[in-house]
Amino acid sequence: MIRKINNNKRLVISHIDDIDGMGSVILANVFWNSEVDYILCTIPDIAEILKEIWFNYENIYICDLPLDSSAIDLIAGNNELKEKIKHFDHHASELENAQKYSFINEVVYINDKMTSGTELFYNYLLSLNKKCIINQDYFKEFVEATRCADVWDLNSPFINLGRALGTLHSILGPQAYISIFSSAKIQKHFIIDEMYLNIINSADNAKENYVNSCLENVLLTNYQNYKIAVSLSENYRSFVGNAIASKYQDTIDFVLIINLQKMKCSLRGVKDNIDLGEIAKSFAKNGGGHKKAAGFFINAECIDIIEKFVLEYIKSKK
Ligand SMILES: [Mn+2]
């Protein structure tokens, strides 16, 4: 968890893991001239954070994070807190909760395109003030690059820019990434500084090597009635998942990536008739996500099946 608390009246709670989580914080910094506190975290942290500090804020924006049952119970039981919360998330697996609770805001598509936490929050900020500093091409392009990289929209002309942002985020980490783009010189179009582009290039080579080594170390096995490929890996989960999914597209239903360092699993797929958000929930109730990209945290519910896969994996390497 990363906290930047300066006794402001606004708090952004956003997703720590990727550039979509960073995007909302950057936009908030620019829009409110950095008069905003932020906390970067994952889903299970939200309830604890709210319990601890909700009363210090007038507005709390929760971005790119679904609300789990403890966060929902906490907010539903506290009218004053409920009034302060604005929620911006885009995970299809949570749509059912959004119908039950007015404070949950899940939008998956805008104009037939998958949206992102950053895009939803951007649209909200524009609705507050059309003449604001972020209503220009530079930020529209930043938002689109972030969106298409987050939802893996390969048809967007901004996909390479989005992927470059993803690489930069993984090299620099959240704080440096946020600070660079919160104070970057605004130009006609969104661009990444030459200096960073060189770093991104060499990191992309390292990424390619990593993905290739993951491709060579896959376990093919079964989960329920599905044929799956299991990877034990810790980096570049979407790239690893998609590379494996396309290599084995004729033999498997989806890819399971087990990240023991983060105690987290990711599911990636290529099939239209399989909803990985639902499958993630079948592993553990904390699971969720999109149809073709989902995940869950390893806990008591799923430890036996994960243990079985890890052992199978180890034996297959003997
Ligand atoms: Mn997202």
Side-chain angles (χ1 to χ4, degrees):
M1 196 186 311
I2 293 173
R3 295 169 182 245
K4 185 160 178 278
I5 305 288
N6 283 325
N7 299 319
N8 289 294
K9 289 289 155 219
R10 306 177 188 97
L11 171 67
V12 175
I13 300 174
S14 195
H15 190 201
I16 195 167
D17 282 341
D18 56 42
I19 59 169
D20 194 27
M22 307 303 115
S24 297
V25 176
I26 290 164
L27 293 172
N29 276 339
V30 177
F31 189 82
W32 284 303
N33 214 357
S34 294
E35 286 171 2
V36 52
D37 291 353
Y38 69 77
I39 297 178
L40 302 170
C41 63
T42 57
I43 303 165
D45 303 322
I46 300 173
E48 287 308 311
I49 292 168
L50 289 177
K51 254 182 240 168
E52 199 190 315
I53 54 171
W54 72 270
F55 37 83
N56 292 334
Y57 294 94
E58 284 169 13
N59 296 99
I60 299 172
Y61 307 94
I62 303 176
C63 303
D64 195 37
L65 287 164
L67 300 174
D68 66 7
S69 56
S70 17
I72 291 174
D73 291 348
L74 183 77
I75 299 168
N78 181 336
N79 280 331
E80 214 183 318
L81 168 60
K82 204 193 300 179
E83 289 299 304
K84 296 182 180 193
I85 299 263
K86 287 232 176 325
H87 182 226
F88 304 91
D89 189 42
H90 65 121
H91 293 92
S93 58
E94 311 304 312
L95 284 170
E96 213 174 294
N97 279 338
Q99 283 172 354
K100 279 191 241 163
Y101 302 95
S102 59
F103 55 85
I104 297 184
N105 175 34
E106 299 284 348
V107 180
V108 182
Y109 290 94
I110 295 179
N111 299 331
D112 288 338
K113 275 203 272 184
M114 288 183 89
T115 184
S116 69
T118 298
E119 184 180 47
L120 293 169
F121 189 59
Y122 181 67
N123 291 345
Y124 169 74
L125 294 177
L126 289 188
S127 78
L128 297 181
N129 177 7
K130 284 260 176 295
K131 289 189 187 129
C132 61
I133 181 166
I134 58 172
N135 194 2
Q136 43 188 314
D137 285 349
Y138 179 88
F139 289 102
K140 290 190 191 354
E141 292 170 10
F142 168 71
V143 170
E144 172 57 12
T146 302
R147 182 200 70 83
C148 66
D150 193 49
V151 302
W152 214 261
D153 179 353
L154 307 183
N155 296 322
S156 169
F158 290 90
I159 186 69
N160 288 334
L161 190 56
R163 289 190 162 169
L165 286 175
T167 305
L168 191 60
H169 170 254
S170 64
I171 301 168
L172 299 177
Q175 282 135 313
Y177 182 88
I178 288 172
S179 111
I180 286 169
F181 293 109
S182 296
S183 56
K185 187 169 169 279
I186 300 170
Q187 317 203 26
K188 195 163 186 311
H189 292 284
F190 180 80
I191 52 153
I192 300 175
D193 233 52
E194 191 71 32
M195 170 179 84
Y196 295 124
L197 286 177
N198 292 331
I199 304 174
I200 290 167
N201 256 334
S202 50
D204 277 341
N205 292 336
K207 175 169 75 185
E208 208 180 306
N209 293 338
Y210 186 86
V211 171
N212 285 336
S213 92
C214 292
L215 271 176
E216 285 162 21
N217 287 289
V218 161
L219 166 74
L220 297 174
T221 183
N222 297 296
Y223 171 70
Q224 296 178 346
N225 293 323
Y226 301 107
K227 291 193 168 42
I228 68 170
V230 177
S231 167
L232 262 70
S233 52
E234 287 164 356
N235 298 313
Y236 313 113
R237 62 183 192 280
S238 289
F239 291 90
V240 169
N242 281 278
I244 296 171
S246 64
K247 178 173 174 184
Y248 293 100
Q249 57 182 325
D250 299 327
T251 32
I252 62 162
D253 295 307
F254 62 87
V255 181
L256 168 69
I257 299 170
I258 302 175
N259 181 339
L260 293 176
Q261 189 191 18
K262 287 193 173 166
M263 288 293 278
K264 207 174 136 178
C265 292
S266 303
L267 306 176
R268 289 294 183 275
V270 284
K271 300 202 166 161
D272 287 322
N273 57 343
I274 295 177
D275 185 346
L276 295 180
E278 288 307 312
I279 292 177
K281 282 189 194 294
S282 79
F283 278 96
K285 281 192 214 78
N286 64 50
H290 310 291
K291 239 181 136 177
K292 293 182 182 175
F296 58 93
F297 289 93
I298 299 172
N299 64 9
E301 272 174 276
C302 59
I303 190 73
D304 289 344
I305 183 80
I306 298 303
E307 181 186 22
K308 177 181 127 6
F309 289 146
V310 172
L311 289 178
E312 244 182 282
Y313 180 95
I314 293 168
K315 284 178 189 157
S316 76
K317 297 293 152 214
K318 264 190 179 168

